[in-house]
Amino acid sequence: MRKLMLAVGGSLILVAPLSQADVVGLRASVSYWDSDLSGQAANSGDVVDVENDLNLDSDSDANASLYLEHPVPLLPNVRLNYTVIEQSGRGRLGTSEFVGIPGSVEVQSDFDLDQLDLTLYYEVLDNWVNLDLGITARDLSGELVVQDTNGRFSPSETKVDGVIPMGYLAARFDLPLTGVSVGAEGNFISFDGDSLHDFNAYGQYEISLIQLRAGYRQMAIDYEDGNDRLDVEIGGPFVSAGVSF
């Protein structure tokens, strides 16, 4: 992880003198994400399949972003991004016990994941081809609660919590004079068995101050925190609306 951050940081230092916005700009957007969850959660060595055993479904996945760009040389631009994921479902455990709950028992499960990103980035290109490069500090907090529907056994809680450094890359290609563009952006880190990847690709239409987007977002988390571990993928289409000044 340290090597990755040094490499990204070194790249930012090299591009900083060459990249800056012409004027102060502010962008804000909100989006709805229709995601599906798959993978496994582990607690003290016990493992459960979050899709096949717990039958988790999306209740409310939302995202909000704020961008501040400026013409001050050397200082990076700032991006704040907040994502909340809430999924719940009823299912039946496999044949193995999961943290005190016997196998084959019907369970109610709730999965909550909050993440707040602070990204510092530079505009490497800013014309009909746009390219941003930066680093992100992600405050990740997740919890999976599994309890049997009859209340005979103590609930199981699997938690992950940490601040994780990640690389940031965003690219957009504008079709001149149309307001139409396509792009992709993502955060990524892989170190010592843990990895997080969060990417989205989209089409955008901009008219006056309004930006409308539709695309697909894919997040993969393989993260261990003490005896707890999440190895899941979250993916699905999203739509967003934003304003820029």
Side-chain angles (χ1 to χ4, degrees):
M1 185 179 298
R2 181 173 179 270
K3 290 182 178 179
L4 173 63
M5 300 312 295
L6 286 175
V8 174
S11 299
L12 292 179
I13 291 173
L14 290 175
V15 303
L18 304 177
S19 54
Q20 64 185 81
D22 296 327
V23 296
V24 174
L26 182 66
R27 288 185 289 149
S29 67
V30 293
S31 65
Y32 172 75
W33 185 20
D34 184 16
S35 66
D36 293 322
L37 177 69
S38 63
Q40 296 179 333
N43 186 320
S44 302
D46 294 340
V47 180
V48 66
D49 189 302
V50 298
E51 181 182 20
N52 297 324
D53 294 339
L54 305 184
N55 195 30
L56 289 172
D57 290 321
S58 175
D59 286 343
S60 175
D61 298 349
N63 184 87
S65 299
L66 180 67
Y67 296 79
L68 174 62
E69 299 180 344
H70 58 81
V72 181
L74 299 182
L75 293 182
N77 302 303
V78 179
R79 169 184 179 263
L80 294 175
N81 184 268
Y82 178 68
T83 301
V84 57
I85 297 170
E86 297 178 354
Q87 301 205 359
S88 62
R90 284 201 172 197
R92 186 174 296 274
L93 294 180
T95 57
S96 300
E97 174 183 300
F98 184 65
V99 197
I101 304 176
S104 301
V105 169
E106 186 177 2
V107 293
Q108 167 70 38
S109 305
D110 296 284
F111 176 69
D112 297 314
L113 181 68
D114 293 336
Q115 57 186 39
L116 177 63
D117 292 355
L118 170 62
T119 300
L120 304 178
Y121 69 95
Y122 290 102
E123 291 186 308
V124 181
L125 296 174
D126 185 18
N127 41 64
W128 71 274
V129 178
N130 302 268
L131 180 63
D132 299 338
L133 176 67
I135 56 175
T136 294
R138 172 166 293 183
D139 186 356
L140 176 71
S141 178
E143 180 181 41
L144 173 65
V145 178
V146 180
Q147 52 190 333
D148 73 288
T149 54
N150 294 321
R152 293 176 296 174
F153 307 97
S154 298
S156 161
E157 296 184 358
T158 302
K159 298 182 178 181
V160 293
D161 190 8
V163 177
I164 304 165
M166 309 177 74
Y168 172 75
L169 180 67
R172 192 182 78 247
F173 303 89
D174 300 331
L175 188 59
L177 305 177
T178 66
V180 176
S181 58
V182 294
E185 61 183 13
N187 288 284
F188 51 90
I189 183 70
S190 181
F191 178 78
D192 196 25
D194 292 338
S195 64
L196 280 84
H197 304 90
D198 187 356
F199 297 98
N200 71 79
Y202 62 87
Q204 175 175 288
Y205 179 66
E206 184 171 358
I207 179 171
S208 186
L209 301 179
I210 306 300
Q211 296 176 335
L212 303 175
R213 284 187 183 183
Y216 189 89
R217 182 177 179 182
Q218 178 78 37
M219 184 189 306
I221 303 172
D222 186 356
Y223 183 70
E224 188 171 355
D225 187 1
N227 291 325
D228 297 341
R229 180 171 183 173
L230 280 179
D231 184 4
V232 297
E233 290 188 359
I234 309 167
F238 74 89
V239 292
S240 75
V243 293
S244 61
F245 304 95

